[in-house]
Amino acid sequence: MSGILDGKRVLVTGVLMESSIAFHAAKLAQEQGAEIILTAFPRPTLTERIAKKLPKPAKVIELDVTNDQHLAGLADTVREELGSLDGVVHSIGFAPQDALGGNFLNTPFESVATAMHVSAYSLKSLTMACLPLMAEGGSVVGLTFDAQFAWPQYDWMGPAKAALEATSRYIARDLGKQNVRCNLISAGPIGSMAAKSIPGFSELASVWNHRSPLEWDMADPEPAGRGVVALLSDWFPKTTGEIIHVDGGLHAIGA
Ligand SMILES: NC(=O)c1ccc[n+]([C@@H]2O[C@H](COP(=O)([O-])OP(=O)(O)OC[C@H]3O[C@@H](n4cnc5c(N)ncnc54)[C@H](O)[C@@H]3O)[C@@H](O)[C@H]2O)c1
């Protein structure tokens, strides 16, 4: 059976639990014919355990996106395993507790800086770390939560996602000549570890129950994973700097 990622080699970050969007992107990518390699934070053992639930084995490499040594060694390690890359999935987000949950006006810059470093700047760091492996071009895909609006509880993750969205556009600008595309999936709320670490996240998510045109299931990360795989494929060959909503259509509804 042929798949839309046949012959493609893809690096997937962010597989932590089965509820991780990245787990579903990785699973679907393998099902669609890709060879994948995973990166893990904070510990490879956790990701290795979850990786056993994937359809095929996948090597796991430790990667803290704020660690320059990890980033510097990434291309060589991936080259040994896969030779080159056609795609990179950035599925990484983090903000300290005092940057979330209604503390927006009192959050110290140190915590804001951490949120920005891990959640936004890392799209650039990861892309550049993988660029030597994408000599033939490639597709970088990240995950955002619509940064056009101020949401309850989301606090400094909001500006971090706005920075991620802008960073994606600038990567698209600067790497287009090398045929490297950079796009984001703007996902609706999913009950992952990252979401559960946001105090009051269920209040935010409940908006989807009455405003989303399509029924939204917070327990199902697969639609977001499908969006990621579509952007990794050759079916969006001239799309870059784009944000595609996989949010049940809520972004289109005013009230
Ligand atoms: N869950 C949602 O409602 C939702 C909605 C829209 C977008 N997103 C985004 O999707 C992406 C994946 O999140 P998820 O919901 O699957 O949750 P998740 O908790 O499963 O994934 C977050 C990942 O970020 C990784 N990470 C954190 N700090 C890191 C670091 N320093 N270096 C490398 N990796 C690091 C964690 O290891 C984890 O795998 C994030 O960018 C998140 O903001 C999530």
Side-chain angles (χ1 to χ4, degrees):
M1 206 184 77
S2 66
I4 60 171
L5 297 185
D6 270 349
K8 297 214 183 286
R9 294 152 187 193
V10 180
L11 178 138
V12 181
T13 65
V15 175
L16 184 63
M17 312 280 283
E18 263 183 281
S19 57
S20 297
I21 297 169
F23 174 81
H24 293 265
K27 177 172 177 278
L28 292 160
Q30 285 188 335
E31 287 168 4
Q32 290 299 319
E35 214 178 325
I36 66 164
I37 190 158
L38 304 175
T39 71
F41 175 86
R43 279 184 305 283
T45 45
L46 285 175
T47 300
E48 277 160 3
R49 196 184 316 148
I50 303 299
K52 291 205 174 86
K53 300 182 183 220
L54 289 170
K56 292 176 204 159
K59 165 122 179 151
V60 177
I61 315 169
E62 184 179 12
L63 176 68
D64 173 350
V65 274
T66 65
N67 183 317
D68 289 339
Q69 273 179 314
H70 288 185
L71 289 165
L74 186 64
D76 284 344
T77 314
V78 176
R79 193 179 286 112
E80 278 169 28
E81 289 298 316
L82 295 184
S84 63
L85 283 176
D86 306 286
V88 176
V89 178
H90 177 285
S91 191
I92 295 168
F94 173 76
Q97 280 296 300
D98 61 357
L100 298 163
N103 193 41
F104 186 83
L105 297 177
N106 301 308
T107 305
F109 180 67
E110 206 185 12
S111 299
V112 173
T114 300
M116 292 283 172
H117 193 178
V118 178
S119 313
Y121 183 77
S122 65
L123 182 66
K124 195 278 305 181
S125 317
L126 177 69
T127 303
M128 290 309 286
C130 294
L131 192 62
L133 301 169
M134 295 193 284
E136 309 287 311
S139 172
V140 179
V141 184
L143 274 307
T144 189
F145 187 68
D146 203 335
Q148 296 176 87
F149 308 105
W151 298 102
Q153 318 300 336
Y154 205 54
D155 291 12
W156 284 97
M157 272 308 289
K161 287 303 191 192
L164 176 78
E165 293 179 5
T167 302
S168 174
R169 289 187 285 269
Y170 279 85
I171 293 170
R173 181 195 72 178
D174 287 354
L175 296 183
K177 280 203 172 57
Q178 295 174 55
N179 199 27
V180 172
R181 296 171 283 133
C182 188
N183 295 290
L184 302 177
I185 291 294
S186 184
I190 291 154
S192 62
M193 279 287 274
K196 284 176 185 149
S197 74
I198 302 172
F201 186 78
S202 52
E203 181 199 329
L204 195 174
S206 68
V207 176
W208 264 255
N209 294 337
H210 49 92
R211 270 186 49 199
S212 175
L214 298 171
E215 191 180 333
W216 185 255
D217 181 2
M218 251 185 74
D220 185 10
E222 186 174 313
R226 282 183 176 260
V228 170
V229 167
L231 284 171
L232 288 170
S233 80
D234 292 333
W235 289 91
F236 280 101
K238 296 294 172 193
T239 298
T240 193
E242 185 62 276
I243 300 173
I244 297 182
H245 290 85
V246 178
D247 67 341
L250 184 131
H251 71 280
I253 303 303

